[in-house]
Amino acid sequence: VADDVMDNVLATAAAGEYAVPLGRALGFSTVLATPAGRADGEKCNSGSRKRDRVLAWLAERGWTEKPRIFFNDDLADLPLMLECQAVCWFGGDRTLREARAAAPTVRLVPCRNMRASEMHATLAHLAQSLAAAQLAAMSSVRAAAPSRARMAS
């Protein structure tokens, strides 16, 4: 994050009072945390609320089609996991199995015991493979478009 080689946002259920300064110190330009002084009963930034806030943040920037890599350790964030192409999983092995069962279309990468160099290489590979998959999908849509046009005439 601090190297600023990827767009990033820190989305956390942690209280904004400490999550925002910590996120900034780690190099995040945007931190979506549980708001300070929230009213009784107001939801914290987890589950579907976290998903909605992240997707709104992406939409505000016109980034809805960018591949998404999510760092996570908690099944409470399943709604956001399902909106991502890859999840770097930092939770335990049992919850990783549960996450794979709950999100079978998401690429889950166990990262809990990775060294920094392994994590860096894994992120580079994920970013490249997701970008390549996105380009391939765009190419197949473009290739199919002329054949549909011929069928319509």
Side-chain angles (χ1 to χ4, degrees), residues 5-56:
V5 294
M6 291 184 175
D7 298 313
N8 57 71
V9 59
L10 173 61
T12 178
E17 295 89 347
Y18 68 87
V20 172
L22 176 61
R24 298 263 192 273
L26 292 171
F28 288 92
S29 58
T30 301
V31 179
L32 303 176
T34 297
R38 64 187 168 111
D40 285 342
E42 184 181 345
K43 292 182 180 179
C44 68
N45 194 47
S46 67
S48 60
R49 180 163 171 81
K50 183 185 285 187
R51 176 204 57 211
D52 295 346
R53 290 186 72 199
V54 169
L55 294 178

Side-chain angles (χ1 to χ4, degrees), residues 70 72-75 78 81 86-104 106-114:
F70 181 40
N72 192 30
D73 67 349
D74 194 336
L75 286 174
L78 182 62
M81 289 171 57
V87 173
C88 293
W89 186 258
F90 290 88
D93 292 338
R94 182 181 54 79
T95 52
L96 173 60
R97 287 189 295 279
E98 292 172 23
R100 284 188 168 138
V106 177
R107 188 172 177 182
L108 284 138
V109 181
C111 297
R112 185 179 195 165
N113 297 316
M114 282 188 185

Side-chain angles (χ1 to χ4, degrees), residues 51-71:
R51 176 204 57 211
D52 295 346
R53 290 186 72 199
V54 169
L55 294 178
W57 184 85
L58 292 169
E60 288 169 7
R61 284 149 185 81
W63 293 352
T64 57
E65 299 305 316
K66 281 191 173 193
R68 291 180 289 278
I69 301 172
F70 181 40
F71 291 68

